[in-house]
Amino acid sequence: MRTLAFYNLKGGVGKTAAAVNLAWCAARDGLATCLWDLDPQGAASWYLRDTTGLDIKAKKLLKGKDTLASQSRPTELPGLDLIPADTTYRHLDRLFDDNDAPREVLAQLVKPLAARYDLLVLDCPPSFSRLSENVFTLADAVAVPLIPTPLSVRAFSQVMEFLAQKRLAEGRLFPFFSMVDKRRGLHRQWLDAPPQDLPNLLGAYVPYASVVEQMGQHQSPVTQFAAHSPAAAAYQALWEELRVHLDFN
Ligand SMILES: Nc1ncnc2c1ncn2[C@@H]1O[C@H](COP(=O)(O)OP(=O)(O)O)[C@@H](O)[C@H]1O
Ligand SMILES: [Mg+2]
């Protein structure tokens, strides 16, 4: 099983939209896929029409070998399962700290999922936390949506520095441009000549598009309800690049 995380220190940059769309692209490619919605706000769970939360509290989730696997359930999209968001995820950081190896709790926890899934997609809340350290330890690739602005690039460089200091995932971070508006000069300029300090920048980018906003009404991926839109094509192209980085052939 490979793990693909969607992460950014900032909120509102398109992490959840990308996580849901790429998880569905992967499932349509025939990969048994599970999306774990780690953000207590539960936007990914909403898009996948499951707002029931876990059957147990997060504390229980960290105990017992197959507890996490018991919480995954099918969505209406064939081949895509979900481990839903839950408000008790707010306590995860504290629970991780009670552990002997506080950065490796998630990596241990997801192991039993490998018997059922080819791909685990993590939709992360925006933070620097024990949870994000766990995600960086575990993920084979961390996709980072960036709105093309100097401040986003600066924030990305700060994340890279932090990871280098902690010897975590730096080489596994894959930034990509998100919410790109070609009417803006800087957006156009950076598509042609991206800033140097974005190593591993993916070639595909997600345009600013109202179909993405409509995911909330449809409760469905764009790649499902607007399969022929430019945004759907962008998510598919991103998935095809990441698929290679994840070593799927
Ligand atoms: N490419 C896009 N074009 C237009 N709106 C977008 C796009 N990506 C995300 N949005 C909207 O922006 C808001 C934040 O997106 P979301 O994916 O939830 O970000 P995050 O998970 O980083 O907080 C949502 O209302 C979403 O519909
Ligand atoms: Mg989100």
Side-chain angles (χ1 to χ4, degrees):
M1 183 179 78
R2 305 281 167 182
T3 302
L4 168 62
F6 288 83
Y7 171 81
N8 191 311
L9 197 49
K10 289 169 178 273
V13 296
K15 294 181 293 298
T16 299
V20 169
N21 279 292
L22 269 70
W24 177 226
C25 290
R28 281 195 311 194
D29 271 2
L31 298 175
T33 302
C34 181
L35 187 150
W36 186 1
D37 183 358
L38 281 164
D39 188 339
Q41 291 188 50
S45 304
W46 167 263
Y47 290 143
L48 295 173
R49 306 184 182 188
D50 186 336
T51 52
T52 52
L54 299 175
D55 301 334
I56 53 174
K57 294 204 157 114
K59 190 172 179 178
K60 181 99 187 293
L61 201 64
L62 305 197
K63 310 241 160 80
K65 204 166 146 284
D66 289 316
T67 322
L68 183 66
S70 77
Q71 295 301 309
S72 83
R73 63 248 351 224
T75 66
E76 291 172 23
L77 302 169
L80 177 58
D81 285 4
L82 173 74
I83 302 174
D86 194 275
T87 50
T88 66
Y89 290 170
R90 293 180 201 287
H91 309 304
L92 280 176
D93 271 19
R94 189 163 44 74
L95 297 169
F96 289 148
D97 278 331
D98 292 341
N99 203 281
D100 294 339
R103 273 187 193 177
E104 281 148 40
V105 185
L106 273 197
Q108 293 301 325
L109 210 62
V110 305
K111 275 188 182 163
L113 296 175
R116 281 162 54 186
Y117 299 112
D118 302 312
L119 176 68
L120 174 65
V121 175
L122 302 175
D123 185 27
C124 302
S127 66
F128 250 157
S129 58
R130 272 288 182 222
L131 173 61
S132 40
E133 284 181 19
N134 270 270
V135 167
F136 295 133
T137 304
L138 160 69
D140 297 294
V142 179
V144 184
L146 292 181
I147 300 174
T149 67
L151 269 180
S152 310
V153 174
R154 183 162 176 270
F156 180 79
S157 300
Q158 288 167 335
V159 174
M160 291 284 285
E161 272 165 41
F162 170 85
L163 294 180
Q165 275 165 20
K166 299 217 166 199
R167 295 177 192 282
L168 287 163
E170 321 106 86
R172 284 173 279 141
L173 284 194
F174 295 93
F176 63 92
F177 288 134
S178 176
M179 298 179 159
V180 174
D181 180 354
K182 285 202 174 170
R183 289 171 304 183
R184 295 180 184 226
L186 185 62
H187 290 209
R188 283 199 308 275
Q189 191 185 321
W190 280 10
L191 287 181
D192 291 339
Q196 295 294 309
D197 22 10
L198 295 176
N200 291 341
L201 179 71
L202 297 173
Y205 64 89
V206 182
Y208 192 92
S210 54
V211 279
V212 181
E213 289 170 321
Q214 288 162 16
M215 282 175 65
Q217 285 134 272
H218 290 270
Q219 289 190 274
S220 175
V222 169
T223 40
Q224 172 73 355
F225 75 85
H228 300 294
S229 61
Y235 287 122
Q236 179 66 32
L238 271 179
W239 162 242
E240 282 165 21
E241 280 184 70
L242 283 165
R243 191 189 153 110
V244 173
H245 291 298
L246 290 164
D247 286 335
F248 288 117
N249 294 314

